[in-house]
Amino acid sequence: MDWGDYRPYVPVEDGPMEDMDPKAARREFDHRMATKDERLAVLAALVEANGLRLGTDDEALDALEAWYRAEVEPDPDHVDTAAHLFFDSEGGKRPRPVWIAVAYDLGLQLGETIIARAPGLSWTFYSSRKGSRDVSHQHAVIMGFTNVRNKRYNADPFRFAVGVGGSHLSGSDKHGDFRQYVDFAVSCA
């Protein structure tokens, strides 16, 4: 694994977005959107240093997922007892913090791929009536879906990317998740 000049995203607010004051969560969302192109360039440099290219086509998605699964490492100091929130399994393994940062960047790439394939969709600051009981509350999500009944339906590519890493570390050998996620979101657009 060649890390090159990789540097993780630095948030402007501390803590999980769903627990932040709404104004702080909005500032964090605005910062994430303002730095989106920079983060995608950082991700592109990282994957290029490892022999891949960043793209929105199926071949690039498959290669990106295969690379992520091959390289993601568990956090040796942390077995998440609430892993089901990210990984759909009790006691799942959590990626090392640097890999959670990479998953953040992967989430941006997945989101941008969805938007490129379905231009009516966009990044949105999601505010749920359920508050922090909704896992996407105050997160940056993709919205604008019209082929679904629930007009508040959203896709959270950050949570998805972390979940793919955690599922892999917990023993799942399933492949094709990135492409399936993108295809499903586009089909709902």
Side-chain angles (χ1 to χ4, degrees):
M1 174 68 192
D2 183 349
W3 287 100
D5 293 330
Y6 183 78
R7 60 196 185 289
Y9 169 77
V10 178
V12 293
E13 301 290 338
D14 289 330
M17 289 182 75
E18 63 270 15
D19 294 339
M20 290 180 191
D21 169 87
K23 288 181 182 178
R26 175 58 85 163
R27 278 191 302 273
E28 180 59 28
F29 169 81
D30 291 343
H31 179 66
R32 288 180 180 203
M33 294 300 102
T35 59
K36 180 174 41 120
D37 292 340
E38 173 190 332
R39 295 309 315 160
L40 290 169
V42 168
L43 179 62
L46 176 64
V47 300
E48 286 170 11
N50 288 278
L52 300 162
R53 71 171 174 79
L54 203 56
T56 59
D57 58 281
D58 286 345
E59 182 181 328
L61 280 176
D62 291 344
L64 188 63
E65 180 183 349
W67 168 79
Y68 178 46
R69 287 178 178 276
E71 299 295 342
V72 66
E73 300 167 306
D75 184 343
D77 300 325
H78 194 282
V79 173
D80 193 346
T81 56
H84 61 280
L85 295 175
F86 280 117
F87 312 133
D88 296 326
S89 64
E90 285 284 332
K93 293 182 180 177
R94 178 181 173 151
R96 281 182 45 213
V98 70
W99 281 103
I100 291 175
V102 171
Y104 168 79
D105 295 332
L106 292 171
L108 280 175
Q109 178 63 24
L110 290 170
E112 289 297 297
T113 299
I114 291 167
I115 291 168
R117 293 182 182 189
L121 302 177
S122 62
W123 289 104
T124 304
F125 177 77
Y126 182 72
S127 180
S128 173
R129 288 167 259 185
K130 295 179 182 178
S132 62
R133 292 179 302 163
D134 185 322
V135 296
S136 294
H137 179 60
Q138 298 188 158
H139 283 240
V141 298
I142 305 296
M143 289 185 77
F145 296 95
T146 58
N147 291 329
V148 292
R149 285 183 149 180
N150 179 0
K151 296 306 173 195
R152 294 180 55 79
Y153 179 80
N154 64 79
D156 188 337
F158 306 112
R159 184 173 297 280
F160 176 78
V162 172
V164 167
S167 292
H168 172 72
L169 293 171
S170 296
S172 171
D173 286 330
K174 186 176 178 238
H175 294 277
D177 285 337
F178 282 12
R179 188 190 312 192
Q180 187 176 23
Y181 182 75
V182 168
D183 288 347
F184 182 76
V186 170
S187 76
C188 293

